[in-house]
Amino acid sequence: MTPSSAGGATGRPRARRNSEMVERIAIGSGRVHGVGLPDDQVDDFLAGRDAAARALALASRGVVLDIFPDAVETAEGSDLGYGFDTGYKGLVFTIILTSTGVNLGVYGGASLDDPAGLLEGTGKVHRHVKIRTQSDLDDELRDLLTRALDRRNV
């Protein structure tokens, strides 16, 4: 029995939730990429959304996981989260679906150097990048996300 299916005080198995963590392994490499959601669970989470927004969310997810392969991936509410642990304290990135695409949230983005001017928002701590098309997932964005992760990983 795995810890996620182990019962509590009642001995009954815990109910599965969207945010339950499972190991995600790269096909063919045998290398653990992190603790996250299986692709079919992410597909279920995104079901019912606009097809274009779903495609942008999946592409954004791919970029985040390329940069942060050891991320713990969660799905809660309408957000996908990527961090060092579950919950807010370990959070680094979020993917939030909007009616026009995706907002890719960056923890601590307000104090992050952003020479390309990608970050938007007015919060004291966090910022986001609007992903409207696949071309927004470019090298400048990857550089920004890498710097955000490096700073958070200190």
Side-chain angles (χ1 to χ4, degrees):
M1 189 178 297
T2 64
S4 63
S5 65
T10 64
R12 289 181 288 185
R14 294 186 190 126
R16 288 184 58 99
R17 298 181 347 196
N18 254 359
S19 60
E20 182 176 325
M21 300 295 97
V22 295
E23 216 171 352
R24 193 170 51 77
I25 299 180
I27 296 172
S29 73
R31 187 171 74 112
V32 174
H33 269 250
V35 179
L37 303 170
D39 292 342
D40 61 342
Q41 194 170 352
V42 173
D43 290 340
D44 289 346
F45 181 77
L46 298 173
R49 305 293 185 128
D50 174 74
R54 245 187 355 260
L56 286 175
L58 291 171
S60 298
R61 177 182 186 239
V63 168
V64 168
L65 292 174
D66 281 348
I67 291 166
F68 191 8
D70 296 325
V72 174
E73 181 179 35
T74 59
E76 293 193 26
S78 61
D79 304 347
L80 293 171
Y82 302 86
F84 294 103
D85 199 354
T86 60
Y88 182 74
K89 285 187 178 185
L91 191 64
V92 182
F93 304 117
T94 58
I95 293 176
I96 304 161
L97 276 81
T98 69
S99 60
T100 58
V102 168
N103 285 346
L104 203 160
V106 180
Y107 176 92
S111 61
L112 188 63
D113 185 37
D114 180 21
L118 301 176
L119 292 167
E120 299 183 33
T122 59
K124 290 182 181 180
V125 179
H126 310 301
R127 294 287 189 271
H128 64 274
V129 178
K130 291 192 184 299
I131 308 297
R132 295 178 183 96
T133 67
Q134 297 277 342
S135 64
D136 292 333
L137 300 168
D138 59 13
D139 290 339
E140 290 177 333
L141 176 68
R142 288 174 179 270
D143 179 60
L144 178 75
L145 298 180
T146 299
R147 286 186 290 107
L149 178 61
D150 288 347
R151 189 180 66 183
R152 187 84 161 103
N153 202 15
V154 173

